[in-house]
């Protein structure tokens, strides 16, 4: 993925070497698949509330932010509910937020994992319910805080709108996979304006991927690279680099940072060749991908960024982040 020329270069310069390694891995994988028998790793395309990635799926990531204590109404008291690791506390909350159509009983968790700082509270896992999951009640934060906290968005929760003049994309956020990334997006959600938020690079699938985003056999991986690239960096504000939070594979609709941000992209294809290279923090719901396709279809100009051919929009497409009606989410 390439940033604009005034940004640091990223990993597309190693794409050829990566493809060679992937071919070798594919051969080994195929051998073991035949020898050990098949396994079902495909998740329904529209089931973004559960598992949306490869190895890689949301079932494999359950993370929080160290040095953060979230407040909220307790649904499970930590004094009588203890674990050894924060991931176990996260999973306990997620289990209370699973199921079809039922209420999400737990949408946040708080774990005390610093033996020295926590003292007798070490291992306490508090499961909580926020009044507003998109604006969680923050009690304390900083390097002296011994608590680790995280959010869990169940089905119908954690959906925000990315508003453009071509329509509003509905985006499902993945805080248990990329908690710091989602925390930044939730901060942007509180702003009335997003000056500087725009898409500037647009590349279709070409002949390399089908309409569902599947890569076609014996075809190259680009250019074009089947993506819509932009930035949510607010003009006049300082952006703090976001640490890598690799967990999910790049699927059609995935939203991921380029490097540590602030530039990001929405993928129009399944990019298995980009495994563990980008932090995926959300996904455009499939019924709204038509808006993404519409922007990608706008007039573009040819350019070269760090020896990579790219397609740049003739006129950048601004966007803003909005809350969406709960019924539509």
């Amino acid at each position: 993925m390439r940033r604009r020329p005034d940004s640091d270069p990223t990993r597309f310069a190693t794409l050829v070497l990566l493809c060679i390694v992937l071919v070798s891995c594919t051969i080994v994988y195929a051998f073991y698949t035949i020898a050990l028998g098949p396994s079902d790793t495909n998740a329904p395309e529209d089931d973004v509330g559960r598992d949306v990635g490869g190895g890689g799926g949301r079932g494999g990531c359950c993370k929080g932010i160290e040095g953060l204590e979230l407040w909220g109404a307790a649904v499970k008291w930590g004094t009588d509910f203890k674990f050894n690791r924060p991931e176990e506390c996260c999973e306990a909350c997620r289990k209370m937020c699973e199921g079809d159509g039922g209420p999400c009983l737990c949408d946040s968790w708080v774990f005390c994992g610093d033996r020295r700082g926590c003292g007798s509270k070490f291992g306490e896992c508090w499961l909580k319910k926020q009044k507003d999951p998109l604006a969680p009640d923050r009690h304390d934060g900083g390097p002296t805080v011994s608590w680790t906290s995280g959010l869990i968005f169940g089905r119908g929760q954690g959906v925000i709108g990315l508003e453009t003049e071509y329509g509003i994309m509905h985006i499902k956020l993945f805080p248990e996979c990329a908690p710091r990334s989602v925390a930044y997006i939730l901060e942007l959600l509180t702003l009335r304006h997003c000056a500087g938020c725009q898409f500037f690079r647009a590349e279709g699938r070409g002949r390399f991927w089908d309409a569902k985003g599947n890569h076609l056999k014996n075809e190259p991986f680009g250019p074009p690279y089947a993506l819509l690239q932009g930035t949510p960096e607010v003009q006049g504000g300082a952006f703090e680099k976001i640490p890598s939070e690799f967990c999910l594979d790049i699927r059609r609709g995935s939203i991921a940072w380029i490097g540590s941000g602030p530039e990001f992209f929405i993928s129009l294809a399944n990019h298995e060749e980009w495994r563990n290279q980008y932090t995926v923090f959300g996904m455009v719901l499939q019924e709204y991908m038509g808006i993404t396709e519409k922007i990608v279809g706008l007039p573009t100009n040819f350019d070269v960024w760090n020896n990579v051919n790219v397609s740049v929009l003739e006129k950048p497409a601004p966007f803003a982040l909005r809350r969406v009606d709960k019924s539509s989410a």
Side-chain angles (χ1 to χ4, degrees):
M1 184 65 55
R2 291 296 180 191
R3 299 177 185 269
R4 286 178 289 186
D6 58 345
S7 302
D8 294 334
T10 54
R11 297 182 176 84
F12 269 138
T14 61
L15 185 58
V16 174
L17 178 60
L18 179 60
C19 290
I20 294 174
V21 174
L22 284 172
V23 169
S24 301
C25 293
T26 301
I27 295 174
V28 174
Y29 177 80
F31 171 79
Y32 280 103
T33 300
I34 295 173
L36 301 177
S39 61
D40 183 9
T41 60
N42 294 322
E45 289 186 359
D46 60 346
D47 195 0
V48 296
R50 294 178 180 172
D51 189 12
V52 298
R58 290 181 66 200
C61 22
C62 218
K63 304 176 183 178
I65 299 177
E66 295 182 359
L68 173 65
E69 182 180 4
L70 292 179
W71 220 232
V75 296
K76 197 81 172 181
W77 287 70
T79 51
D80 304 315
F81 196 60
K82 295 188 176 184
F83 292 106
N84 293 319
R85 300 182 301 115
E87 293 83 2
E88 295 175 296
C89 184
C90 176
E91 287 289 354
C93 181
R94 177 150 59 187
K95 288 180 180 178
M96 297 180 67
C97 201
E98 292 179 344
D100 298 325
C104 193
L105 302 179
C106 174
D107 55 25
S108 53
W109 55 273
V110 182
F111 175 79
C112 203
D114 182 346
R115 287 184 179 274
R116 179 177 297 180
C118 295
S120 61
K121 294 184 178 181
F122 175 76
E124 287 189 6
C125 172
W126 291 77
L127 305 185
K128 301 184 176 184
K129 181 73 173 176
Q130 298 293 324
K131 292 182 179 178
D132 184 355
L134 294 180
D137 189 358
R138 178 187 174 113
H139 177 65
D140 199 4
T144 61
V145 176
S146 302
W147 299 89
T148 297
S149 298
L151 296 173
I152 297 290
F153 291 152
R155 187 178 295 276
Q157 289 185 314
V159 178
I160 65 172
L162 192 154
E163 183 179 20
T164 74
E165 62 179 294
Y166 307 98
I168 301 177
M169 303 179 206
H170 286 204
I171 295 171
K172 173 76 172 183
L173 298 175
F174 301 148
E176 68 272 42
C177 301
R180 294 187 181 274
S181 301
V182 171
Y184 175 71
I185 298 300
L186 294 184
E187 287 181 12
L188 292 183
L189 200 62
T190 64
L191 302 179
R192 297 184 60 183
H193 304 286
C194 195
C197 299
Q198 61 181 0
F199 293 112
F200 49 81
R201 177 183 176 188
E203 300 181 8
R205 293 184 298 274
R207 66 177 190 279
F208 310 147
W209 292 271
D210 64 20
K212 293 184 178 181
N214 300 310
H215 186 254
L216 301 180
K217 186 177 181 180
N218 299 326
E219 293 290 351
F221 291 96
Y225 292 101
L227 57 85
L228 179 62
Q229 184 173 337
T231 177
E233 185 178 17
V234 180
Q235 291 179 351
F239 179 84
E240 295 185 6
K241 291 186 176 180
I242 298 176
S244 298
E245 298 176 304
F246 301 142
C247 187
L248 298 175
D249 295 341
I250 304 294
R251 311 289 294 175
R252 173 173 164 81
S254 294
I255 306 177
W257 298 117
I258 298 175
S260 299
E263 293 184 13
F264 74 103
F265 66 92
I266 300 175
S267 180
L268 274 68
N270 303 324
H271 284 287
E272 286 85 358
E273 76 277 15
W274 292 347
R275 183 184 299 271
N276 292 331
Q277 292 193 54
Y278 303 102
T279 295
V280 177
F281 59 88
M283 173 170 277
V284 177
L285 300 185
Q286 292 302 305
E287 56 266 39
Y288 296 92
M289 280 298 290
I291 300 172
T292 308
E293 300 275 6
K294 186 180 297 184
I295 299 175
V296 169
L298 295 175
T300 58
N301 293 320
F302 172 80
D303 202 352
V304 178
W305 295 354
N306 302 302
N307 298 319
V308 173
N309 296 332
V310 299
S311 297
V312 181
L313 288 170
E314 289 184 358
K315 180 183 177 181
F319 66 82
L321 298 176
R322 298 280 186 265
R323 286 176 175 263
V324 296
D325 182 74
K326 290 184 178 180
S327 61
S328 63

